[in-house]
Amino acid sequence: MKVIYQICGKISLLCYIFILYQIWHLCQFGGIRAHFMVLLPSGTVFLMSFVLWLISRKYRKKEDDNTPMKRKILWAEGIVVSIATAYLIGQIIYTGIPYNGALSWKIDQRLNQKEVTLEHDNFFENGVEGVLADLDEALDMPEELYIVNQYQMTFDETGKIKTIYTFLYGQDENGKTNTYLIDYDESSGPNITVRINGNATTDYEEDKRLEPMLTILQKAPCEEAVKTWAQADIGEEYEILYMGRRSFNSASGLEYLPGDADGDGTETGTSSFGQMYEEGEILGFEVSLHIPDVEYVTPVRYIMEPEYISPEALNEEQEQQQTETAKEAGTWSVDNTDGTMYFFLDEKLGWRLVVADAAAGSRFYKMEKTEDGGTSWEICNEDPFGGEIGVTEGLVFFDENFGFAGLTGASQSYSRLYMTRDGGATFTQVQLPMDSVTELPESGREAGFTVNDYDYLSMPEEQDGSLTILAVTGAGEQEGILFQSTDQGETWSYGGVSTAAS
């Protein structure tokens, strides 16, 4: 009995530690089935050995418990069990912390994922309202919902819903924002998977409200359009896509629907898209009906309360956006749509080089100035570069009067700098003392360059009242000749060479 007591005790101890290790491994990596095949036999051995250990313990001689050696072994075993238990249970708990193991994902899924049965699974019969009714019954969703990105739903020619994907959010009666990432695939089962409490940009834009989609779909003849496609044997699956209030620069596929999409009690907008021939855009709440697998069929775009935006209004909006971007840039910035270069000294005072004419990759510029943050602009110089054409390299002002503008050739193999001391009213070309250069960068000497090859001038940089210009052999080069000025560009002096490392 003494031997059984000793052997079963050791086996129980080893099995206990092994089981804890397997549980940790399961919580870390998952795989219930694989671990079950290991835990079942090891658990069985542990129970059997532990029961035998308890039985044999009753028949041990009491004097055996008082021997010094037995007490030492008992203490050693207790320490081993305590350390192993503390470490392995600590690791198990750690796997429950978000993103640290499979257990954390199971906990997250338990807390933040819901399964909702889709009872109203026919779009033609129940509309999207049926889907929302099923979701609301299970989740008690807010009355006013918004889309984060889009509402996307596919169905067959009978209206049977195949897939749903959308990310919705709204504010509950307590003022808390709730999010719902909704995903449904008929092939995976009858349930809609909903992830709640997710992270999303929830700025409650009126253009992203979900209600206008429901208003449009109540009037949109989606079923008739699908029947026409189905009879022509075009496609097997169809889709509606809603992205809120959208703009279109073409009337292709647009179909006007009368109604009050924004819910303000008044129907507005135009029913004619003839203005689109004069360019511009049409802006309105829109739902697209299309065939995902057939690209040549133009989607039907049901649009309600459309608003025509003229090219002039679009240009003004673009200009305002670029102006705000330029204010935040901290340096010069370029409007890539028309090549205009902006620079703002502060929130109010700014300048811009506007393309007045362009040909063969080069441009002729005029300079405009604003003193009211870009609300109005006035021409301050009709020809800042003295008749030269090219592409602007940069524009910078160090105060309301003193600044520089750069002009480079289309090939960017050379550039010129122009300086103003009267806020852009006049410019003079910067002349550097190239004849005072005594040394060229090592890479330039090895390439056989002369001082005349260093004719690409970078925009000046200011530090502690000193201006520095780097002359290099072409755009993007870092090794070149330095020139410095301590009197705001009145005079320039050779300052040595600059290497790529420096």
Side-chain angles (χ1 to χ4, degrees):
M1 193 60 69
K2 178 180 178 181
V3 173
I4 294 175
Y5 172 81
Q6 292 176 341
I7 293 176
C8 290
K10 301 298 185 295
I11 293 175
S12 299
L13 178 62
L14 292 175
C15 286
Y16 169 74
I17 295 174
F18 180 75
I19 289 170
L20 276 182
Y21 174 81
Q22 287 297 317
I23 293 173
W24 167 37
H25 201 270
L26 170 63
C27 294
Q28 180 71 49
F29 303 106
I32 294 177
R33 184 175 300 178
H35 284 88
F36 178 77
M37 300 304 293
V38 176
L39 287 170
L40 180 61
S42 58
T44 302
V45 172
F46 170 75
L47 288 175
M48 293 176 60
S49 59
F50 186 70
V51 170
L52 288 174
W53 178 81
L54 289 175
I55 295 172
S56 60
R57 187 172 183 274
K58 285 186 176 183
Y59 294 95
R60 287 187 60 215
K61 293 182 179 180
K62 292 183 179 180
E63 59 269 17
D64 289 346
D65 294 332
N66 297 322
T67 63
M69 181 58 68
K70 293 295 183 182
R71 288 196 297 270
K72 289 181 179 179
I73 293 175
L74 184 62
W75 273 101
E77 290 177 347
I79 292 172
V80 170
V81 170
S82 299
I83 293 175
T85 300
Y87 175 77
L88 292 173
I89 289 181
Q91 292 299 315
I92 291 170
I93 293 173
Y94 181 75
T95 63
I97 299 174
Y99 316 119
N100 287 327
L103 178 60
S104 67
W105 292 105
K106 288 293 183 182
I107 294 173
D108 177 75
Q109 187 178 59
R110 180 80 174 180
L111 296 176
N112 300 315
Q113 184 167 306
K114 307 295 182 182
E115 298 293 327
V116 179
T117 302
L118 180 61
E119 300 285 353
H120 301 86
D121 61 354
N122 192 287
F123 170 54
F124 295 154
E125 295 176 4
N126 312 119
V128 176
E129 290 90 343
V131 176
L132 295 176
D134 291 338
L135 292 169
D136 186 55
E137 184 178 351
L139 303 172
D140 191 21
M141 301 170 74
E143 183 176 349
E144 189 71 67
L145 292 169
Y146 297 76
I147 59 171
V148 174
N149 39 34
Q150 61 195 31
Y151 184 97
Q152 191 172 358
M153 185 170 74
T154 63
F155 47 91
D156 63 18
E157 63 180 280
T158 68
K160 181 70 178 298
I161 297 174
K162 297 296 184 181
T163 64
I164 303 171
Y165 179 80
T166 188
F167 200 171
L168 305 178
Y169 68 93
Q171 198 171 71
D172 64 18
E173 56 186 14
N174 298 318
K176 177 186 176 183
T177 295
N178 296 327
T179 63
Y180 309 89
L181 179 58
I182 298 166
D183 190 10
Y184 170 74
D185 190 332
E186 182 196 34
S187 62
S188 300
N191 291 339
I192 304 173
T193 299
V194 184
R195 292 277 304 174
I196 60 175
N197 303 322
N199 294 321
T201 302
T202 54
D203 44 16
Y204 291 92
E205 290 184 30
E206 287 299 303
D207 289 354
K208 293 290 188 178
R209 289 171 55 234
L210 185 66
E211 185 64 30
M213 179 187 74
L214 305 179
T215 303
I216 291 172
L217 289 176
Q218 286 171 359
K219 292 191 175 184
C222 295
E223 187 171 1
E224 288 78 0
V226 169
K227 284 182 179 179
T228 301
W229 284 333
Q231 288 171 359
D233 199 23
I234 304 176
E236 296 180 353
E237 201 167 274
Y238 310 91
E239 180 179 81
I240 60 167
L241 178 66
Y242 173 71
M243 300 176 68
R245 199 163 184 250
R246 300 179 62 193
S247 61
F248 299 89
N249 55 18
S250 169
S252 177
L254 288 177
E255 185 171 320
Y256 170 76
L257 293 177
D260 178 20
D262 57 13
D264 63 356
T266 304
E267 293 187 22
T268 59
T270 176
S271 60
S272 173
F273 303 133
Q275 294 166 304
M276 293 296 291
Y277 294 107
E278 302 173 8
E279 298 185 341
E281 289 184 353
I282 289 290
L283 176 66
F285 288 102
E286 178 268 350
V287 177
S288 293
L289 173 65
H290 68 110
I291 311 173
D293 297 330
V294 183
E295 295 183 359
Y296 67 84
V297 175
T298 302
V300 181
R301 300 183 174 101
Y302 300 108
I303 191 166
M304 191 173 285
E305 295 195 300
E307 172 190 355
Y308 173 69
I309 304 176
S310 67
E312 293 76 18
L314 290 173
N315 290 336
E316 183 178 348
E317 181 182 354
Q318 168 66 24
E319 183 178 303
Q320 291 175 349
Q321 291 177 351
Q322 184 61 42
T323 298
E324 294 304 315
T325 300
K327 289 180 183 179
E328 299 172 359
T331 183
W332 63 84
S333 61
V334 178
D335 184 347
N336 293 322
T337 61
D338 60 11
T340 300
M341 179 173 282
Y342 291 77
F343 178 85
F344 274 85
L345 185 64
D346 52 41
E347 282 293 316
K348 296 293 185 181
L349 186 57
W351 296 262
R352 66 183 183 184
L353 290 166
V354 181
V355 178
D357 195 9
S362 294
R363 299 163 179 174
F364 181 82
Y365 294 89
K366 61 182 178 181
M367 175 167 277
E368 296 180 346
K369 183 178 180 179
T370 181
E371 296 180 351
D372 56 12
T375 301
S376 61
W377 295 86
E378 293 183 0
I379 297 176
C380 64
N381 194 316
E382 292 280 1
D383 184 11
F385 299 122
E388 295 291 332
I389 61 174
V391 180
T392 52
E393 180 195 18
L395 177 63
V396 62
F397 278 79
F398 298 106
D399 58 37
E400 66 273 14
N401 294 312
F402 182 50
F404 292 83
L407 187 71
T408 182
S411 63
Q412 292 191 313
S413 60
Y414 71 92
S415 72
R416 300 183 180 93
L417 291 179
Y418 296 80
M419 179 174 58
T420 180
R421 297 186 183 280
D422 52 16
T426 61
F427 280 86
T428 58
Q429 186 175 342
V430 175
Q431 302 293 337
L432 298 176
M434 303 301 290
D435 55 356
S436 66
V437 176
T438 59
E439 182 185 5
L440 297 179
E442 182 178 354
S443 60
R445 296 196 304 271
E446 292 176 352
F449 291 147
T450 67
V451 68
N452 294 328
D453 292 309
Y454 289 84
D455 56 357
Y456 192 99
L457 309 182
S458 66
M459 292 297 294
E461 295 182 3
E462 184 183 37
Q463 184 174 6
D464 299 328
S466 177
L467 293 172
T468 301
I469 293 175
L470 177 64
V472 294
T473 57
E477 295 293 331
Q478 296 181 345
E479 295 188 350
I481 306 169
L482 293 170
F483 294 91
Q484 296 174 330
S485 173
T486 58
D487 54 9
Q488 287 197 320
E490 289 286 352
T491 59
W492 295 89
S493 61
Y494 167 63
V497 299
S498 172
T499 63
S502 61

